[in-house]
Amino acid sequence: LTVELLATEELVVLVKQCLDWLVSEFVIPAGVKPAQLLATPPHDPMNPNTNQSKHCYYKYNEFFRCEKFHGEGAEACKKIKLAYFALCPKDWTDKWDEQRTAGTFPGPL
């Protein structure tokens, strides 16, 4: 099965099915559309190479600083949220969220 063999209508149906599957299988943060999950953050010259752990941590902190400054759910913070969501393992963000609510998060929020 290749894309060339599919009619446009069939391709649209296939994409919708894939997005529905993503929604049903994964926890999607509020304000993030399923289509946005297919994109990754652009190249960042501050963190150019292999290990993205520091980049993940930086984007996570940057997102919550942005929300603190602009208000919760601000449009300006959505790209940062997508970046940390794409870069960070779910286990890490869950742990950091728990630490933030408990007031024990070590980051500069």
Side-chain angles (χ1 to χ4, degrees), residues 39-52 55 59 83 87:
T40 58
H43 173 72
D44 186 352
M46 288 177 19
N47 303 87
N49 293 320
T50 54
N51 191 345
Q52 293 295 312
H55 190 46
K59 288 296 182 185
L87 290 170

Side-chain angles (χ1 to χ4, degrees), residues 46-100:
M46 288 177 19
N47 303 87
N49 293 320
T50 54
N51 191 345
Q52 293 295 312
S53 298
K54 290 180 184 177
H55 190 46
C56 155
Y57 184 75
Y58 174 77
K59 288 296 182 185
Y60 182 85
N61 284 312
E62 184 180 18
F63 170 72
F64 286 103
R65 274 191 246 126
C66 180
E67 275 204 333
K68 190 176 184 180
F69 181 75
H70 292 290
E72 196 169 321
E75 191 69 29
C77 306
K78 285 189 179 181
K79 283 187 179 180
I80 303 168
K81 183 176 189 174
L82 287 173
Y84 97 72
F85 185 71
L87 290 170
C88 300
K90 180 88 172 99
D91 294 344
W92 292 8
T93 57
D94 288 346
K95 180 181 174 186
W96 294 338
D97 289 340
E98 289 171 9
Q99 290 175 339
R100 275 188 318 102

